[in-house]
Structure formats: C-alpha cells, structure tokens
Short mmCIF file of all heavy atoms in Angstrom, two decimals:
data_model
loop_
_atom_site.label_atom_id
_atom_site.label_comp_id
_atom_site.label_asym_id
_atom_site.label_seq_id
_atom_site.Cartn_x
_atom_site.Cartn_y
_atom_site.Cartn_z
N LEU G 1 -16.74 -37.47 -46.25
CA LEU G 1 -16.28 -36.30 -46.98
C LEU G 1 -17.14 -36.16 -48.23
O LEU G 1 -17.01 -36.94 -49.17
CB LEU G 1 -14.80 -36.45 -47.35
CG LEU G 1 -14.13 -35.27 -48.05
CD1 LEU G 1 -14.16 -34.04 -47.15
CD2 LEU G 1 -12.71 -35.61 -48.44
N VAL G 2 -18.05 -35.19 -48.23
CA VAL G 2 -19.02 -35.04 -49.31
C VAL G 2 -18.46 -34.16 -50.41
O VAL G 2 -18.06 -33.01 -50.16
CB VAL G 2 -20.34 -34.44 -48.77
CG1 VAL G 2 -21.32 -34.20 -49.91
CG2 VAL G 2 -20.95 -35.37 -47.73
N ASN G 3 -18.44 -34.69 -51.62
CA ASN G 3 -18.01 -33.92 -52.79
C ASN G 3 -19.17 -33.30 -53.53
O ASN G 3 -19.04 -32.23 -54.12
CB ASN G 3 -17.22 -34.81 -53.75
CG ASN G 3 -15.95 -35.36 -53.14
OD1 ASN G 3 -15.31 -34.70 -52.33
ND2 ASN G 3 -15.59 -36.58 -53.51
N GLU G 4 -20.31 -33.98 -53.53
CA GLU G 4 -21.47 -33.53 -54.29
C GLU G 4 -22.73 -33.63 -53.43
O GLU G 4 -22.97 -34.66 -52.80
CB GLU G 4 -21.67 -34.38 -55.56
CG GLU G 4 -20.47 -34.42 -56.50
CD GLU G 4 -20.22 -33.11 -57.22
OE1 GLU G 4 -21.14 -32.26 -57.25
OE2 GLU G 4 -19.12 -32.91 -57.75
N ASN G 5 -23.52 -32.56 -53.43
CA ASN G 5 -24.78 -32.56 -52.70
C ASN G 5 -25.98 -32.79 -53.60
O ASN G 5 -27.12 -32.85 -53.13
CB ASN G 5 -24.96 -31.24 -51.94
CG ASN G 5 -24.06 -31.16 -50.72
OD1 ASN G 5 -24.09 -32.03 -49.86
ND2 ASN G 5 -23.25 -30.12 -50.65
N ASP G 6 -25.72 -32.90 -54.90
CA ASP G 6 -26.81 -33.23 -55.82
C ASP G 6 -26.25 -33.99 -57.01
O ASP G 6 -25.03 -34.04 -57.22
CB ASP G 6 -27.56 -31.97 -56.28
CG ASP G 6 -26.64 -30.89 -56.83
OD1 ASP G 6 -25.74 -31.22 -57.63
OD2 ASP G 6 -26.81 -29.72 -56.48
N LEU G 7 -27.13 -34.59 -57.77
CA LEU G 7 -26.75 -35.40 -58.92
C LEU G 7 -27.69 -35.07 -60.07
O LEU G 7 -28.91 -35.04 -59.89
CB LEU G 7 -26.85 -36.89 -58.58
CG LEU G 7 -26.52 -37.89 -59.69
CD1 LEU G 7 -25.06 -37.78 -60.10
CD2 LEU G 7 -26.83 -39.32 -59.23
N GLU G 8 -27.13 -34.79 -61.23
CA GLU G 8 -27.97 -34.47 -62.39
C GLU G 8 -28.48 -35.76 -63.03
O GLU G 8 -27.70 -36.61 -63.45
CB GLU G 8 -27.19 -33.66 -63.41
CG GLU G 8 -28.06 -33.19 -64.58
CD GLU G 8 -27.32 -32.32 -65.57
OE1 GLU G 8 -26.36 -32.82 -66.19
OE2 GLU G 8 -27.70 -31.14 -65.73
N LEU G 9 -29.80 -35.89 -63.06
CA LEU G 9 -30.44 -37.05 -63.66
C LEU G 9 -31.16 -36.63 -64.93
O LEU G 9 -31.52 -35.46 -65.10
CB LEU G 9 -31.45 -37.68 -62.70
CG LEU G 9 -30.93 -38.16 -61.34
CD1 LEU G 9 -32.06 -38.81 -60.55
CD2 LEU G 9 -29.78 -39.14 -61.51
N GLU G 10 -31.36 -37.59 -65.82
CA GLU G 10 -32.15 -37.33 -67.00
C GLU G 10 -33.15 -38.45 -67.21
O GLU G 10 -32.88 -39.61 -66.91
CB GLU G 10 -31.28 -37.14 -68.23
CG GLU G 10 -30.35 -38.27 -68.58
CD GLU G 10 -29.52 -37.97 -69.81
OE1 GLU G 10 -30.10 -38.01 -70.93
OE2 GLU G 10 -28.32 -37.67 -69.68
N GLY G 11 -34.33 -38.06 -67.70
CA GLY G 11 -35.40 -39.02 -67.92
C GLY G 11 -36.73 -38.29 -67.95
O GLY G 11 -36.79 -37.06 -67.87
N SER G 12 -37.79 -39.06 -68.02
CA SER G 12 -39.12 -38.48 -68.02
C SER G 12 -39.36 -37.79 -66.67
O SER G 12 -39.08 -38.36 -65.62
CB SER G 12 -40.16 -39.56 -68.25
OG SER G 12 -41.46 -39.03 -68.20
N LEU G 13 -39.89 -36.58 -66.72
CA LEU G 13 -40.06 -35.79 -65.50
C LEU G 13 -40.88 -36.52 -64.45
O LEU G 13 -40.58 -36.46 -63.26
CB LEU G 13 -40.70 -34.45 -65.83
CG LEU G 13 -40.94 -33.51 -64.66
CD1 LEU G 13 -39.64 -33.16 -63.96
CD2 LEU G 13 -41.66 -32.24 -65.12
N ASN G 14 -41.91 -37.24 -64.88
CA ASN G 14 -42.77 -37.91 -63.90
C ASN G 14 -42.09 -39.12 -63.26
O ASN G 14 -42.64 -39.71 -62.34
CB ASN G 14 -44.12 -38.31 -64.52
CG ASN G 14 -43.96 -39.16 -65.76
OD1 ASN G 14 -42.86 -39.65 -66.05
ND2 ASN G 14 -45.02 -39.35 -66.51
N LEU G 15 -40.91 -39.48 -63.74
CA LEU G 15 -40.16 -40.59 -63.14
C LEU G 15 -39.01 -40.11 -62.25
O LEU G 15 -38.47 -40.88 -61.47
CB LEU G 15 -39.59 -41.50 -64.24
CG LEU G 15 -40.60 -42.25 -65.11
CD1 LEU G 15 -39.86 -43.07 -66.17
CD2 LEU G 15 -41.50 -43.15 -64.28
N LEU G 16 -38.65 -38.83 -62.39
CA LEU G 16 -37.52 -38.32 -61.61
C LEU G 16 -37.91 -38.13 -60.15
O LEU G 16 -38.96 -37.56 -59.85
CB LEU G 16 -37.05 -36.98 -62.18
CG LEU G 16 -36.45 -37.01 -63.59
CD1 LEU G 16 -36.00 -35.61 -63.98
CD2 LEU G 16 -35.27 -37.97 -63.68
N PRO G 17 -37.06 -38.60 -59.22
CA PRO G 17 -37.37 -38.44 -57.78
C PRO G 17 -37.13 -36.99 -57.36
O PRO G 17 -36.42 -36.24 -58.02
CB PRO G 17 -36.36 -39.38 -57.11
CG PRO G 17 -35.19 -39.38 -58.05
CD PRO G 17 -35.78 -39.30 -59.43
N GLU G 18 -37.74 -36.62 -56.23
CA GLU G 18 -37.51 -35.28 -55.70
C GLU G 18 -36.21 -35.22 -54.92
O GLU G 18 -35.63 -34.14 -54.75
CB GLU G 18 -38.69 -34.85 -54.83
CG GLU G 18 -39.97 -34.67 -55.62
CD GLU G 18 -41.07 -34.03 -54.79
OE1 GLU G 18 -40.91 -33.95 -53.56
OE2 GLU G 18 -42.08 -33.63 -55.38
N SER G 19 -35.73 -36.38 -54.45
CA SER G 19 -34.45 -36.44 -53.75
C SER G 19 -33.91 -37.87 -53.87
O SER G 19 -34.64 -38.80 -54.20
CB SER G 19 -34.60 -36.06 -52.27
OG SER G 19 -35.46 -36.97 -51.60
N ILE G 20 -32.63 -38.02 -53.61
CA ILE G 20 -31.96 -39.32 -53.64
C ILE G 20 -31.43 -39.60 -52.24
O ILE G 20 -30.68 -38.79 -51.68
CB ILE G 20 -30.79 -39.32 -54.64
CG1 ILE G 20 -31.28 -38.99 -56.05
CG2 ILE G 20 -30.06 -40.66 -54.63
CD1 ILE G 20 -30.15 -38.69 -57.02
N THR G 21 -31.80 -40.73 -51.67
CA THR G 21 -31.32 -41.11 -50.34
C THR G 21 -30.22 -42.16 -50.46
O THR G 21 -30.40 -43.19 -51.12
CB THR G 21 -32.46 -41.66 -49.47
OG1 THR G 21 -33.48 -40.67 -49.34
CG2 THR G 21 -31.95 -42.03 -48.09
N VAL G 22 -29.07 -41.89 -49.84
CA VAL G 22 -27.93 -42.80 -49.86
C VAL G 22 -27.60 -43.19 -48.42
O VAL G 22 -27.30 -42.33 -47.59
CB VAL G 22 -26.70 -42.16 -50.53
CG1 VAL G 22 -25.52 -43.12 -50.50
CG2 VAL G 22 -27.02 -41.76 -51.96
N ASP G 23 -27.65 -44.49 -48.11
CA ASP G 23 -27.34 -44.98 -46.77
C ASP G 23 -25.84 -45.32 -46.71
O ASP G 23 -25.36 -46.18 -47.43
CB ASP G 23 -28.17 -46.23 -46.47
CG ASP G 23 -27.99 -46.71 -45.04
OD1 ASP G 23 -27.22 -46.09 -44.28
OD2 ASP G 23 -28.63 -47.73 -44.68
N VAL G 24 -25.11 -44.62 -45.85
CA VAL G 24 -23.66 -44.84 -45.74
C VAL G 24 -23.30 -45.50 -44.41
O VAL G 24 -22.11 -45.60 -44.08
CB VAL G 24 -22.90 -43.50 -45.88
CG1 VAL G 24 -23.13 -42.89 -47.25
CG2 VAL G 24 -23.30 -42.52 -44.78
N SER G 25 -24.28 -45.97 -43.65
CA SER G 25 -24.03 -46.48 -42.30
C SER G 25 -23.13 -47.71 -42.28
O SER G 25 -22.43 -47.95 -41.30
CB SER G 25 -25.36 -46.81 -41.60
OG SER G 25 -26.09 -47.78 -42.33
N ASP G 26 -23.13 -48.50 -43.37
CA ASP G 26 -22.31 -49.72 -43.40
C ASP G 26 -21.01 -49.54 -44.17
O ASP G 26 -20.32 -50.51 -44.47
CB ASP G 26 -23.11 -50.87 -44.01
CG ASP G 26 -23.53 -50.59 -45.45
OD1 ASP G 26 -23.43 -49.43 -45.89
OD2 ASP G 26 -23.97 -51.54 -46.13
N LYS G 27 -20.65 -48.30 -44.47
CA LYS G 27 -19.43 -48.04 -45.23
C LYS G 27 -18.21 -48.15 -44.33
O LYS G 27 -18.26 -47.93 -43.12
CB LYS G 27 -19.47 -46.64 -45.86
CG LYS G 27 -20.59 -46.43 -46.87
CD LYS G 27 -20.39 -47.27 -48.11
CE LYS G 27 -21.46 -46.96 -49.16
NZ LYS G 27 -21.33 -47.80 -50.36
N ASN G 28 -17.08 -48.49 -44.95
CA ASN G 28 -15.81 -48.63 -44.24
C ASN G 28 -14.81 -47.59 -44.73
O ASN G 28 -15.03 -46.91 -45.73
CB ASN G 28 -15.24 -50.04 -44.45
CG ASN G 28 -16.15 -51.12 -43.91
OD1 ASN G 28 -16.59 -51.05 -42.75
ND2 ASN G 28 -16.46 -52.12 -44.72
N MET G 29 -13.69 -47.50 -44.03
CA MET G 29 -12.64 -46.56 -44.36
C MET G 29 -12.24 -46.70 -45.83
O MET G 29 -11.94 -47.80 -46.30
CB MET G 29 -11.43 -46.81 -43.45
CG MET G 29 -10.21 -46.02 -43.80
SD MET G 29 -10.41 -44.27 -43.45
CE MET G 29 -8.79 -43.67 -43.90
N GLY G 30 -12.24 -45.59 -46.56
CA GLY G 30 -11.82 -45.61 -47.96
C GLY G 30 -12.93 -45.90 -48.96
O GLY G 30 -12.74 -45.74 -50.16
N ASP G 31 -14.11 -46.31 -48.48
CA ASP G 31 -15.23 -46.58 -49.40
C ASP G 31 -15.68 -45.28 -50.07
O ASP G 31 -15.67 -44.22 -49.46
CB ASP G 31 -16.41 -47.21 -48.64
CG ASP G 31 -16.16 -48.67 -48.29
OD1 ASP G 31 -15.16 -49.24 -48.79
OD2 ASP G 31 -16.97 -49.23 -47.52
N LYS G 32 -16.11 -45.43 -51.31
CA LYS G 32 -16.57 -44.28 -52.08
C LYS G 32 -18.04 -44.46 -52.47
O LYS G 32 -18.51 -45.57 -52.68
CB LYS G 32 -15.74 -44.11 -53.35
CG LYS G 32 -14.25 -43.88 -53.10
CD LYS G 32 -13.46 -43.85 -54.39
CE LYS G 32 -11.97 -43.66 -54.12
NZ LYS G 32 -11.18 -43.68 -55.38
N VAL G 33 -18.74 -43.34 -52.53
CA VAL G 33 -20.11 -43.34 -53.05
C VAL G 33 -20.02 -42.81 -54.48
O VAL G 33 -19.67 -41.65 -54.70
CB VAL G 33 -21.03 -42.44 -52.21
CG1 VAL G 33 -22.45 -42.45 -52.80
CG2 VAL G 33 -21.06 -42.90 -50.75
N LEU G 34 -20.31 -43.67 -55.44
CA LEU G 34 -20.18 -43.32 -56.85
C LEU G 34 -21.55 -43.07 -57.47
O LEU G 34 -22.54 -43.71 -57.09
CB LEU G 34 -19.48 -44.44 -57.62
CG LEU G 34 -18.11 -44.89 -57.08
CD1 LEU G 34 -17.59 -46.07 -57.88
CD2 LEU G 34 -17.12 -43.73 -57.13
N ALA G 35 -21.58 -42.17 -58.43
CA ALA G 35 -22.84 -41.88 -59.12
C ALA G 35 -23.40 -43.14 -59.77
O ALA G 35 -24.61 -43.36 -59.78
CB ALA G 35 -22.62 -40.79 -60.17
N GLY G 36 -22.52 -43.97 -60.28
CA GLY G 36 -22.94 -45.19 -60.95
C GLY G 36 -23.53 -46.23 -60.02
O GLY G 36 -24.15 -47.20 -60.48
N ASP G 37 -23.31 -46.06 -58.71
CA ASP G 37 -23.82 -47.04 -57.74
C ASP G 37 -25.23 -46.70 -57.24
O ASP G 37 -25.83 -47.48 -56.51
CB ASP G 37 -22.87 -47.11 -56.53
CG ASP G 37 -21.50 -47.65 -56.91
OD1 ASP G 37 -21.40 -48.33 -57.95
OD2 ASP G 37 -20.54 -47.38 -56.17
N ILE G 38 -25.74 -45.53 -57.60
CA ILE G 38 -27.05 -45.10 -57.12
C ILE G 38 -28.15 -45.89 -57.83
O ILE G 38 -28.19 -45.97 -59.06
CB ILE G 38 -27.27 -43.59 -57.37
CG1 ILE G 38 -26.16 -42.78 -56.70
CG2 ILE G 38 -28.64 -43.17 -56.86
CD1 ILE G 38 -26.13 -42.87 -55.21
N GLY G 39 -29.02 -46.50 -57.04
CA GLY G 39 -30.13 -47.24 -57.62
C GLY G 39 -31.21 -46.29 -58.13
O GLY G 39 -31.74 -45.48 -57.36
N LEU G 40 -31.53 -46.38 -59.42
CA LEU G 40 -32.50 -45.47 -60.03
C LEU G 40 -33.61 -46.25 -60.70
O LEU G 40 -33.43 -47.43 -61.07
CB LEU G 40 -31.80 -44.58 -61.07
CG LEU G 40 -30.68 -43.66 -60.55
CD1 LEU G 40 -29.95 -43.02 -61.71
CD2 LEU G 40 -31.27 -42.61 -59.62
N ASN G 41 -34.75 -45.60 -60.85
CA ASN G 41 -35.88 -46.23 -61.54
C ASN G 41 -35.53 -46.49 -63.00
O ASN G 41 -34.70 -45.79 -63.60
CB ASN G 41 -37.12 -45.32 -61.47
CG ASN G 41 -37.65 -45.17 -60.06
OD1 ASN G 41 -37.50 -46.06 -59.23
ND2 ASN G 41 -38.25 -44.02 -59.77
N SER G 42 -36.20 -47.47 -63.58
CA SER G 42 -36.03 -47.74 -65.00
C SER G 42 -36.45 -46.50 -65.79
O SER G 42 -37.47 -45.88 -65.51
CB SER G 42 -36.90 -48.93 -65.40
OG SER G 42 -36.81 -49.17 -66.79
N GLY G 43 -35.64 -46.13 -66.76
CA GLY G 43 -35.94 -44.95 -67.55
C GLY G 43 -35.29 -43.69 -67.04
O GLY G 43 -35.42 -42.62 -67.64
N VAL G 44 -34.58 -43.81 -65.91
CA VAL G 44 -33.87 -42.67 -65.32
C VAL G 44 -32.39 -43.03 -65.20
O VAL G 44 -32.05 -44.14 -64.80
CB VAL G 44 -34.44 -42.31 -63.92
CG1 VAL G 44 -33.63 -41.19 -63.29
CG2 VAL G 44 -35.90 -41.93 -64.03
N LYS G 45 -31.52 -42.09 -65.54
CA LYS G 45 -30.08 -42.34 -65.43
C LYS G 45 -29.36 -41.04 -65.10
O LYS G 45 -29.90 -39.94 -65.28
CB LYS G 45 -29.54 -42.92 -66.74
CG LYS G 45 -29.66 -41.99 -67.93
CD LYS G 45 -29.09 -42.63 -69.19
CE LYS G 45 -29.20 -41.69 -70.40
NZ LYS G 45 -28.65 -42.29 -71.63
N ALA G 46 -28.14 -41.19 -64.61
CA ALA G 46 -27.31 -40.02 -64.36
C ALA G 46 -26.91 -39.42 -65.71
O ALA G 46 -26.67 -40.15 -66.67
CB ALA G 46 -26.08 -40.40 -63.55
N SER G 47 -26.83 -38.11 -65.77
CA SER G 47 -26.43 -37.46 -67.01
C SER G 47 -24.99 -37.82 -67.33
O SER G 47 -24.22 -38.21 -66.45
CB SER G 47 -26.59 -35.94 -66.90
OG SER G 47 -25.64 -35.42 -65.99
N ARG G 48 -24.62 -37.65 -68.57
CA ARG G 48 -23.25 -37.97 -68.98
C ARG G 48 -22.24 -37.13 -68.21
O ARG G 48 -21.14 -37.59 -67.89
CB ARG G 48 -23.09 -37.73 -70.49
CG ARG G 48 -21.71 -38.06 -71.03
CD ARG G 48 -21.67 -38.03 -72.54
NE ARG G 48 -22.53 -39.06 -73.11
CZ ARG G 48 -22.64 -39.27 -74.42
NH1 ARG G 48 -21.98 -38.51 -75.28
NH2 ARG G 48 -23.44 -40.23 -74.88
#
C-alpha cells in the first residue's frame, strides 16, 4: 500500500539521486517503509 511516490531530499544538487530504489521483496505483513530507513549518500538527507 503506497502512500508516497516521491521523497523530498535536500543537499548538494550533484549528490542528489535521480530516483530512489526501495526493495520490498523481503518485507512481511505489517512492515512499513519509512523515510528515515532510506539509505542516502553522505551530505544528503530527507527534508524536515
């Protein structure tokens, strides 16, 4: 059940990815995909 199709990131433009890939194949019933769990490059973070 997808709540968000994009995520607002902040950081240096040359470090921002063009897309974010999230693998959900090993998820179980009730598992959530949280913005804080997304692996990002150093210097890049989710906006407040």
